[in-house]
PDB file of all heavy atoms in Angstrom:
ATOM      1  N   ALA A1215      45.821 -35.018 -10.885  1.00 98.00           N
ATOM      2  CA  ALA A1215      46.298 -33.702 -10.446  1.00 98.00           C
ATOM      3  C   ALA A1215      47.770 -33.764 -10.073  1.00 98.00           C
ATOM      4  O   ALA A1215      48.232 -34.747  -9.472  1.00 98.00           O
ATOM      5  CB  ALA A1215      45.479 -33.202  -9.272  1.00 98.00           C
ATOM      6  N   LEU A1216      48.514 -32.722 -10.405  1.00 98.00           N
ATOM      7  CA  LEU A1216      49.915 -32.622  -9.999  1.00 98.00           C
ATOM      8  C   LEU A1216      50.051 -32.036  -8.603  1.00 98.00           C
ATOM      9  O   LEU A1216      51.121 -32.116  -8.009  1.00 98.00           O
ATOM     10  CB  LEU A1216      50.696 -31.760 -10.999  1.00 98.00           C
ATOM     11  CG  LEU A1216      50.733 -32.256 -12.449  1.00 98.00           C
ATOM     12  CD1 LEU A1216      51.549 -31.305 -13.310  1.00 98.00           C
ATOM     13  CD2 LEU A1216      51.293 -33.669 -12.527  1.00 98.00           C
ATOM     14  N   TYR A1217      48.974 -31.430  -8.097  1.00 98.00           N
ATOM     15  CA  TYR A1217      49.026 -30.836  -6.757  1.00 98.00           C
ATOM     16  C   TYR A1217      48.619 -31.862  -5.707  1.00 98.00           C
ATOM     17  O   TYR A1217      48.276 -33.008  -6.024  1.00 98.00           O
ATOM     18  CB  TYR A1217      48.134 -29.598  -6.689  1.00 98.00           C
ATOM     19  CG  TYR A1217      46.724 -29.787  -7.191  1.00 98.00           C
ATOM     20  CD1 TYR A1217      45.775 -30.440  -6.424  1.00 98.00           C
ATOM     21  CD2 TYR A1217      46.335 -29.292  -8.436  1.00 98.00           C
ATOM     22  CE1 TYR A1217      44.462 -30.603  -6.880  1.00 98.00           C
ATOM     23  CE2 TYR A1217      45.032 -29.455  -8.903  1.00 98.00           C
ATOM     24  CZ  TYR A1217      44.103 -30.108  -8.123  1.00 98.00           C
ATOM     25  OH  TYR A1217      42.819 -30.279  -8.577  1.00 98.00           O
ATOM     26  N   GLY A1218      48.669 -31.423  -4.440  1.00 97.00           N
ATOM     27  CA  GLY A1218      48.406 -32.330  -3.338  1.00 97.00           C
ATOM     28  C   GLY A1218      47.323 -31.841  -2.414  1.00 97.00           C
ATOM     29  O   GLY A1218      46.419 -31.083  -2.804  1.00 97.00           O
ATOM     30  N   ALA A1219      47.447 -32.224  -1.148  1.00 97.00           N
ATOM     31  CA  ALA A1219      46.372 -32.033  -0.179  1.00 97.00           C
ATOM     32  C   ALA A1219      46.097 -30.567   0.123  1.00 97.00           C
ATOM     33  O   ALA A1219      44.936 -30.148   0.217  1.00 97.00           O
ATOM     34  CB  ALA A1219      46.712 -32.776   1.110  1.00 97.00           C
ATOM     35  N   GLN A1220      47.145 -29.764   0.278  1.00 97.00           N
ATOM     36  CA  GLN A1220      46.901 -28.367   0.668  1.00 97.00           C
ATOM     37  C   GLN A1220      46.204 -27.598  -0.451  1.00 97.00           C
ATOM     38  O   GLN A1220      45.346 -26.756  -0.185  1.00 97.00           O
ATOM     39  CB  GLN A1220      48.216 -27.700   1.078  1.00 97.00           C
ATOM     40  CG  GLN A1220      48.778 -28.244   2.378  1.00 97.00           C
ATOM     41  CD  GLN A1220      49.690 -27.253   3.062  1.00 97.00           C
ATOM     42  OE1 GLN A1220      49.400 -26.061   3.156  1.00 97.00           O
ATOM     43  NE2 GLN A1220      50.809 -27.760   3.566  1.00 97.00           N
ATOM     44  N   THR A1221      46.569 -27.884  -1.682  1.00 98.00           N
ATOM     45  CA  THR A1221      45.869 -27.248  -2.806  1.00 98.00           C
ATOM     46  C   THR A1221      44.402 -27.673  -2.817  1.00 98.00           C
ATOM     47  O   THR A1221      43.504 -26.840  -3.009  1.00 98.00           O
ATOM     48  CB  THR A1221      46.532 -27.624  -4.138  1.00 98.00           C
ATOM     49  OG1 THR A1221      47.882 -27.175  -4.129  1.00 98.00           O
ATOM     50  CG2 THR A1221      45.782 -27.010  -5.314  1.00 98.00           C
ATOM     51  N   GLN A1222      44.158 -28.956  -2.614  1.00 98.00           N
ATOM     52  CA  GLN A1222      42.779 -29.445  -2.635  1.00 98.00           C
ATOM     53  C   GLN A1222      41.957 -28.820  -1.524  1.00 98.00           C
ATOM     54  O   GLN A1222      40.776 -28.494  -1.716  1.00 98.00           O
ATOM     55  CB  GLN A1222      42.752 -30.965  -2.514  1.00 98.00           C
ATOM     56  CG  GLN A1222      41.368 -31.565  -2.733  1.00 98.00           C
ATOM     57  CD  GLN A1222      40.824 -31.288  -4.128  1.00 98.00           C
ATOM     58  OE1 GLN A1222      41.499 -31.532  -5.129  1.00 98.00           O
ATOM     59  NE2 GLN A1222      39.617 -30.752  -4.201  1.00 98.00           N
ATOM     60  N   ARG A1223      42.557 -28.631  -0.345  1.00 97.00           N
ATOM     61  CA  ARG A1223      41.819 -27.974   0.751  1.00 97.00           C
ATOM     62  C   ARG A1223      41.426 -26.550   0.340  1.00 97.00           C
ATOM     63  O   ARG A1223      40.316 -26.092   0.630  1.00 97.00           O
ATOM     64  CB  ARG A1223      42.674 -27.941   2.018  1.00 97.00           C
ATOM     65  CG  ARG A1223      42.916 -29.308   2.631  1.00 97.00           C
ATOM     66  CD  ARG A1223      43.564 -29.211   4.010  1.00 97.00           C
ATOM     67  NE  ARG A1223      44.028 -30.519   4.448  1.00 97.00           N
ATOM     68  CZ  ARG A1223      43.239 -31.462   4.958  1.00 97.00           C
ATOM     69  NH1 ARG A1223      41.944 -31.232   5.089  1.00 97.00           N
ATOM     70  NH2 ARG A1223      43.743 -32.625   5.332  1.00 97.00           N
ATOM     71  N   ALA A1224      42.331 -25.861  -0.345  1.00 98.00           N
ATOM     72  CA  ALA A1224      42.022 -24.495  -0.784  1.00 98.00           C
ATOM     73  C   ALA A1224      40.916 -24.494  -1.839  1.00 98.00           C
ATOM     74  O   ALA A1224      40.037 -23.615  -1.826  1.00 98.00           O
ATOM     75  CB  ALA A1224      43.277 -23.826  -1.330  1.00 98.00           C
ATOM     76  N   ILE A1225      40.957 -25.469  -2.749  1.00 98.00           N
ATOM     77  CA  ILE A1225      39.888 -25.579  -3.749  1.00 98.00           C
ATOM     78  C   ILE A1225      38.545 -25.778  -3.059  1.00 98.00           C
ATOM     79  O   ILE A1225      37.535 -25.159  -3.423  1.00 98.00           O
ATOM     80  CB  ILE A1225      40.183 -26.732  -4.717  1.00 98.00           C
ATOM     81  CG1 ILE A1225      41.422 -26.415  -5.553  1.00 98.00           C
ATOM     82  CG2 ILE A1225      38.982 -27.006  -5.624  1.00 98.00           C
ATOM     83  CD1 ILE A1225      41.922 -27.589  -6.381  1.00 98.00           C
ATOM     84  N   ASN A1226      38.540 -26.635  -2.031  1.00 97.00           N
ATOM     85  CA  ASN A1226      37.301 -26.919  -1.299  1.00 97.00           C
ATOM     86  C   ASN A1226      36.840 -25.718  -0.484  1.00 97.00           C
ATOM     87  O   ASN A1226      35.639 -25.460  -0.365  1.00 97.00           O
ATOM     88  CB  ASN A1226      37.508 -28.108  -0.354  1.00 97.00           C
ATOM     89  CG  ASN A1226      37.812 -29.403  -1.103  1.00 97.00           C
ATOM     90  OD1 ASN A1226      37.592 -29.501  -2.311  1.00 97.00           O
ATOM     91  ND2 ASN A1226      38.323 -30.399  -0.393  1.00 97.00           N
ATOM     92  N   ASN A1227      37.789 -24.968   0.074  1.00 98.00           N
ATOM     93  CA  ASN A1227      37.457 -23.874   0.990  1.00 98.00           C
ATOM     94  C   ASN A1227      37.035 -22.587   0.292  1.00 98.00           C
ATOM     95  O   ASN A1227      36.306 -21.773   0.873  1.00 98.00           O
ATOM     96  CB  ASN A1227      38.658 -23.559   1.889  1.00 98.00           C
ATOM     97  CG  ASN A1227      38.922 -24.639   2.914  1.00 98.00           C
ATOM     98  OD1 ASN A1227      38.017 -25.385   3.269  1.00 98.00           O
ATOM     99  ND2 ASN A1227      40.157 -24.716   3.392  1.00 98.00           N
ATOM    100  N   PHE A1228      37.512 -22.360  -0.942  1.00 98.00           N
ATOM    101  CA  PHE A1228      37.336 -21.047  -1.567  1.00 98.00           C
ATOM    102  C   PHE A1228      36.641 -21.121  -2.934  1.00 98.00           C
ATOM    103  O   PHE A1228      37.175 -20.621  -3.933  1.00 98.00           O
ATOM    104  CB  PHE A1228      38.686 -20.350  -1.707  1.00 98.00           C
ATOM    105  CG  PHE A1228      39.492 -20.282  -0.443  1.00 98.00           C
ATOM    106  CD1 PHE A1228      40.715 -20.942  -0.347  1.00 98.00           C
ATOM    107  CD2 PHE A1228      39.029 -19.585   0.658  1.00 98.00           C
ATOM    108  CE1 PHE A1228      41.463 -20.887   0.812  1.00 98.00           C
ATOM    109  CE2 PHE A1228      39.764 -19.530   1.824  1.00 98.00           C
ATOM    110  CZ  PHE A1228      40.987 -20.184   1.918  1.00 98.00           C
ATOM    111  N   PRO A1229      35.443 -21.696  -3.020  1.00 98.00           N
ATOM    112  CA  PRO A1229      34.701 -21.666  -4.292  1.00 98.00           C
ATOM    113  C   PRO A1229      33.959 -20.338  -4.418  1.00 98.00           C
ATOM    114  O   PRO A1229      32.731 -20.279  -4.348  1.00 98.00           O
ATOM    115  CB  PRO A1229      33.741 -22.857  -4.145  1.00 98.00           C
ATOM    116  CG  PRO A1229      33.446 -22.898  -2.674  1.00 98.00           C
ATOM    117  CD  PRO A1229      34.709 -22.447  -1.970  1.00 98.00           C
ATOM    118  N   ILE A1230      34.710 -19.246  -4.585  1.00 98.00           N
ATOM    119  CA  ILE A1230      34.139 -17.908  -4.398  1.00 98.00           C
ATOM    120  C   ILE A1230      33.878 -17.188  -5.718  1.00 98.00           C
ATOM    121  O   ILE A1230      32.749 -16.792  -6.006  1.00 98.00           O
ATOM    122  CB  ILE A1230      35.042 -17.070  -3.477  1.00 98.00           C
ATOM    123  CG1 ILE A1230      35.089 -17.722  -2.079  1.00 98.00           C
ATOM    124  CG2 ILE A1230      34.534 -15.622  -3.376  1.00 98.00           C
ATOM    125  CD1 ILE A1230      36.049 -17.065  -1.120  1.00 98.00           C
ATOM    126  N   SER A1231      34.891 -16.987  -6.519  1.00 98.00           N
ATOM    127  CA  SER A1231      34.727 -16.119  -7.692  1.00 98.00           C
ATOM    128  C   SER A1231      35.004 -16.800  -9.018  1.00 98.00           C
ATOM    129  O   SER A1231      34.557 -16.317 -10.061  1.00 98.00           O
ATOM    130  CB  SER A1231      35.646 -14.898  -7.571  1.00 98.00           C
ATOM    131  OG  SER A1231      37.009 -15.288  -7.729  1.00 98.00           O
ATOM    132  N   GLY A1232      35.771 -17.859  -8.990  1.00 98.00           N
ATOM    133  CA  GLY A1232      36.229 -18.443 -10.253  1.00 98.00           C
ATOM    134  C   GLY A1232      37.406 -17.706 -10.852  1.00 98.00           C
ATOM    135  O   GLY A1232      37.934 -18.108 -11.896  1.00 98.00           O
TER     136      GLY A1232
END
Side-chain angles (χ1 to χ4, degrees):
L1216 300 180
Y1217 51 77
Q1220 291 204 44
T1221 299
Q1222 189 62 51
R1223 292 190 192 281
I1225 294 171
N1226 296 344
N1227 289 336
F1228 308 116
I1230 297 174
S1231 70

